[in-house]
Amino acid sequence: MTINKKHVIKLLEEIAVYLELKGENPYRITAYRRAAQALEQDDHSLDEIDDFTKIKGIGERTAAIIDDYLENSESETLQQLQQEVPQGLVPLLDLPGLGGKKLSKLYQELKVTDAATLKEALESGEVEKLEGFGKKSAEKMLKALEDADSRPERLPLAMMLPLAEKIEKYLQSCQTFDRYSIAGSMRRMKETVKDLDFIIASSDPAKTRDELLEYSEIKDIVASGETKVSIVVDAGYEVGVDFRIVAPHEFASTLQHFTGSKDHNVTLRQMAKEKNEKISEYGIENNETGEVQTFESEKEIYEHFGLHYIPPEVRENYGELDKFKEPVRLLETSDIRGDLHMHSTWSDGAQSIKQMAEQSKDKGYQYIAITDHSKYLRVANGLNENRLRKQREEIDKVNSSMKDFHIFAGIEMDILPDASLDFEEEFLKEMDFVIASIHSSFSQSQDKIMKRLETALECPYVHMIAHPTGRLIGRRKGYDVDVNKLITKAKETGTILELNANPNRLDLNYEWLMKAQEEGVDIAINTDAHSYPMLDHMTIGAATARRGWLRKETVINTWTTKQLMKKFGIAK
Ligand code: DGT
Ligand code: CA
Ligand code: CA
Ligand code: ZN
C-alpha cells in the first residue's frame, strides 16, 4: 500500500480518538486533531513535503509519528494505543450522542469496555446518574444498542418477500392511484435487502400521501411529503419503506432511477453526458435546449440510448450497458417446462405424489421429478431401496392416469460424511433421476468436502448436485467448497449443477452461475418444494438466473420431456 495524505490524516484522527478514550490530557488530544486539520488544509501532496514541522500546527512529536508511519507503513504509536484501549470501545463511538469524551468517562468511571458492559450499565441506571448524561440520552443509547443486536443491516430476501407482498396488497386496494411498482434492490432480486422502495404514479399527491399514511402496519413515520413518504413497519423486525409519489408522465423515469443499482445509473448517466444530456428521475434533459423528455416505459428509456431493454435483475453494472447494445435473450420463467427437485409425503413433504404432480401440471409444466430423501436422512424419513421400489409403483400409477405429463422417479441421495454414497451403483441404475447432496458434517475441511462432492460427480449414475454450497442466506455460510473446482469437475463429468430457487438458498449464487455458464455446465433451476406454495419459488429462481445472465439453453429444465429422457439415459 502506498500511503497518501488521507491515510496520514486518518492516522492522526485515530490517535486522537484513542487518547480521548484513555482520558488523556485534552491539550495533547487537540494537538493531534489540529495537526490533522492542518494537513487537510495544506495543498501539497505528501512527497512535496520534506519537513512536516514546517506546516503550521504540526509539532516535533507529531512529525516524528508521521515519519515513522511513512517509513514503516504502520504506526507504533497507534499500535501501542490499540493495545491499551479495549477494542470493544471503538465501535461504541457510532452510538447516538456518544463521543470520545463521554465514552471515556463511561470507561474510566463505570468500567464499560464493550456493548455488553455498556448495556448492563445502562440497564442498572448507573449511566444516567453520571454528570453529563441524562435519562433521555441513556434511553436513546439503550434503544440503539438493542436495535443493533436485534437486526442486521441487511435482511435476507426471503424475510423481505412476504412483507413486500403485504404492502403490495395494500397498494392494490388504494383508491387515489392505480399505477405503482416495487423498485430498489427488491425489484433487482438481490439476495439481501436493506429497505423497500415503491414508486407510485398519482395525479393527486396530497391525497395519495394521506392514503399511504393510513396503512395499518406503520410503526414510525420518517417523512410524509407529497413526493416522498418514508415509514418504518414492524414485521417481527423493523424495516424502512420508501414511497415516491410522481406525476404519471414521470413514472417510467422515476422507476428506472430508483430501481438502481446506483452503479448502473452512474454508467447510464455517463452515456447521457456523452449525448449532451442529463438523466434524472424526472426524465432526460437536453443540455442545449433545456427540454425534458419523458417516457412511457423503461424500454423506451433504454432504447433512447441505443440499448435493448435491460431486465431489473441485471442492472448491477456488470457490463450490461455494453452487452445490451445487442439483443440478449435471458431465461424467463415461462421457458421453464418442469421442476426436477421436490419432496412428497413419502419423506418430509406435505403433499402426495399425485397432488404435487397435478399442482405442477396446473402451473403449465410438462414434467416433474419426485426426489424424496434417502435412508441416511432419518429425520426426514428418508427412503431405503425397498420403499423406493414401492414408490416407483405409485409413480407409474399416477403417470398412467395423467395425460401430457410425466413424473420422473427420482431420489435426493445423501453424500455421507465418509464420502460414500447412500446407495450402491447397482441400485442407482434403477432410478430415472439421481440427485446427490450434502446435509451433514458441514464443518469438515475443504479437502474432505471436495472428496465427498467428487465421489458424487464421478458416479456415472448421479445426474445432478443439489444446493451445491449448502448456504442459507443470512443464517449459515454453508460448507467449505472449492466452487471453481466443482464447476470444472461438473463440466468434465457432465453433471448438472442446481440453482436451488428457495429464497433462503439461491444456491448456486448468481456469480457462480455466470462462471458455470461460461464453462458450459448444465444448470437446473428447481424449487426443492416440500409443499404446494413452495412450487411458486420458481419465479425467484428464474430471477436469480437472470442475475447470473443465464440463457435458456443453459437451463435443462427448459427442455422437453423427450430430450430429458435422453439426457437421463432412459429414452428408448
Ligand atoms: P438496498 O441497500 O438493499 O436498499 O439497495 P437499493 O438499491 O434499494 O438502494 P436504496 O434503497 O438506497 O435506493 C434505491 C435506488 O435508488 C438505488 O438502487 C439507486 C437509486 N438512487 C437514486 N439516487 C440515489 C442516491 O442519491 N443515493 C442512493 N443510494 N441511491 C440512489
Ligand atoms: Ca432499497
Ligand atoms: Ca430506499
Ligand atoms: Zn431436497
Side-chain angles (χ1 to χ4, degrees), residues 5 41 49 63 143 173 279 305 375 381 404 420 426 488 517:
K5 211 166 165 184
Q41 275 157 20
I49 307 170
K143 187 169 181 303
S173 76
I279 181 165
F305 293 104
K375 57 192 177 188
N381 194 23
D404 302 322
S420 66
E426 261 328 287
T488 310
Q517 177 169 263

Side-chain angles (χ1 to χ4, degrees), residues 140-376:
K140 247 190 187 155
M141 274 188 257
L142 189 57
K143 187 169 181 303
L145 272 178
E146 282 165 355
D147 288 353
D149 59 35
S150 70
R151 181 204 192 287
E153 171 76 2
R154 312 182 61 77
L155 289 168
L157 179 65
M159 280 172 88
M160 287 293 220
L161 279 164
L163 177 62
E165 268 170 33
K166 208 164 155 189
I167 294 172
E168 291 212 26
K169 217 174 233 156
Y170 179 70
L171 295 180
Q172 275 160 22
S173 76
C174 284
Q175 304 291 316
T176 65
F177 59 90
D178 35 47
R179 200 167 174 205
Y180 73 87
S181 173
I182 183 91
S185 54
M186 182 59 132
R187 184 165 183 241
R188 303 198 311 279
M189 283 292 203
K190 213 175 145 152
E191 58 195 40
T192 62
V193 172
K194 187 195 73 205
D195 66 3
L196 296 178
D197 306 272
F198 289 92
I199 312 300
I200 294 167
S202 170
S203 317
D204 194 342
K207 273 203 181 131
T208 293
R209 180 220 20 222
D210 294 345
E211 195 170 29
L212 290 174
L213 292 174
E214 276 164 28
Y215 182 50
S216 59
E217 310 283 318
I218 297 181
K219 192 171 172 214
D220 236 331
I221 298 172
V222 183
S224 57
E226 288 183 16
T227 55
K228 180 177 175 179
V229 172
S230 280
I231 59 170
V232 175
V233 299
D234 192 350
Y237 37 90
E238 287 191 1
V239 178
V241 187
D242 294 338
F243 301 95
R244 317 264 166 179
I245 308 167
V246 290
H249 67 283
E250 293 166 342
F251 182 77
S253 280
T254 310
L255 178 60
Q256 194 286 324
H257 184 82
F258 287 107
T259 293
S261 68
K262 218 173 149 189
D263 293 342
H264 173 89
N265 286 349
V266 166
T267 303
L268 197 64
R269 207 172 303 147
Q270 201 56 42
M271 291 173 77
K273 215 170 160 185
E274 279 159 25
K275 294 181 69 176
N276 202 17
E277 292 172 343
K278 201 159 42 214
I279 181 165
S280 74
E281 66 253 56
Y282 306 110
I284 296 177
E285 185 181 337
N286 185 308
N287 285 338
E288 261 159 48
T289 62
E291 204 179 308
V292 177
Q293 187 181 350
T294 58
F295 299 84
E296 274 300 304
S297 66
E298 286 184 317
K299 185 163 176 280
E300 286 179 15
I301 298 174
Y302 286 106
E303 279 169 357
H304 180 87
F305 293 104
L307 297 165
H308 295 265
Y309 175 71
I310 303 180
E313 297 90 351
V314 187
R315 301 181 198 169
E316 296 289 351
N317 202 32
Y318 273 19
E320 69 277 9
L321 286 158
D322 201 41
K323 181 88 173 170
F324 278 74
K325 283 177 185 156
E326 303 297 325
V328 183
R329 173 63 166 80
L330 298 179
L331 180 99
E332 283 167 23
T333 309
S334 58
D335 296 329
I336 299 289
R337 285 198 162 108
D339 191 335
L340 295 171
H341 182 171
M342 68 181 67
H343 299 265
S344 75
T345 45
W346 285 69
S347 67
D348 58 350
Q351 265 89 32
S352 70
I353 294 171
K354 195 174 168 66
Q355 285 174 326
M356 287 306 256
E358 281 174 347
Q359 185 80 9
S360 298
K361 194 176 175 204
D362 284 349
K363 284 177 73 70
Y365 291 162
Q366 295 166 15
Y367 51 81
I368 56 170
I370 292 289
T371 56
D372 277 310
H373 290 291
S374 65
K375 57 192 177 188
Y376 176 80

